[in-house]
């Protein structure tokens, strides 16, 4: 998947998530997706390369980085809890949608229960492949 397709796929997925909102708090070069005011995805270009920055479970983030050269520590974010994804071989729509949804669920899980737009423990399980 190339960089522009990566951005479109990630944005399309994020826009489908309940309560997700797109903002531009850092200017027009940064697209920031939030749920209930909390960031779960950022998109920008890092010297000409489109990237998607996502929250990830620390253990999963480490495994993802070890097994995919297109996944690196989070750009300008906590390197333990965030990953940067760029286009390339092995990056497909299924992986992008899974990582975006997982990032969203991690953020929703830390919201007060009354503010959670979905149950983060069950949302998306078994339904992603059907979309």
């Amino acid at each position: 998947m190339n960089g522009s397709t990566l951005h479109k796929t990630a944005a399309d997925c994020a826009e489908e998530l309940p309560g997700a909102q797109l903002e531009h708090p850092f200017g027009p070069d940064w697209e920031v997706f939030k749920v209930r005011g909390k960031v779960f995805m950022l998109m920008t270009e890092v010297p000409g390369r489109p990237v998607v920055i996502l929250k990830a479970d620390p253990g999963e983030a480490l495994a993802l980085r070890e097994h995919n050269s297109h996944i690196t520590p989070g750009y300008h974010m906590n390197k333990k809890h965030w990953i940067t994804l760029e286009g390339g071989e092995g990056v497909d729509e299924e992986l992008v949608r899974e990582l975006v949804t997982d990032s969203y669920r991690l953020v929703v899980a830390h919201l007060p229960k009354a503010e959670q737009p979905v149950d983060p423990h069950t949302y998306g399980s078994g339904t992603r492949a059907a979309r």
Side-chain angles (χ1 to χ4, degrees):
M1 171 178 296
N2 67 30
S4 60
T5 304
L6 170 66
H7 270 190
K8 180 171 180 357
T9 302
D12 288 350
C13 179
E15 289 168 358
E16 295 171 4
L17 298 170
Q21 294 183 304
L22 172 61
E23 298 180 11
H24 293 91
F26 310 122
D29 294 340
W30 284 83
E31 293 190 358
V32 179
F33 286 85
K34 296 181 178 182
V35 58
R36 304 293 193 258
K38 302 291 184 184
V39 174
F40 69 91
M41 182 174 87
L42 303 100
M43 295 193 315
T44 193
E45 289 195 12
V46 179
R49 297 184 336 263
V51 297
V52 177
I53 304 159
L54 299 158
K55 193 163 186 75
D57 173 84
E60 289 178 22
L62 182 61
L64 286 165
R65 291 193 303 265
E66 288 176 352
H67 292 97
N68 192 317
S69 63
H70 301 291
I71 299 175
T72 57
Y75 179 73
H76 279 303
M77 302 297 275
N78 180 307
K79 308 301 185 213
K80 183 176 177 183
H81 295 276
W82 291 84
I83 58 172
T84 298
L85 175 65
E86 59 181 276
E89 191 176 324
V91 177
D92 60 16
E93 181 176 354
E94 182 180 355
L95 176 65
V96 173
R97 286 186 160 275
E98 182 177 332
L99 293 175
V100 170
T101 303
D102 287 350
S103 178
Y104 169 84
R105 288 172 42 184
L106 282 169
V107 172
V108 167
H110 288 92
L111 294 172
K113 196 151 188 84
E115 291 183 34
Q116 294 178 350
V118 297
D119 180 342
H121 305 292
T122 60
Y123 181 78
S125 57
T127 59
R128 283 194 292 260
R131 286 191 190 162

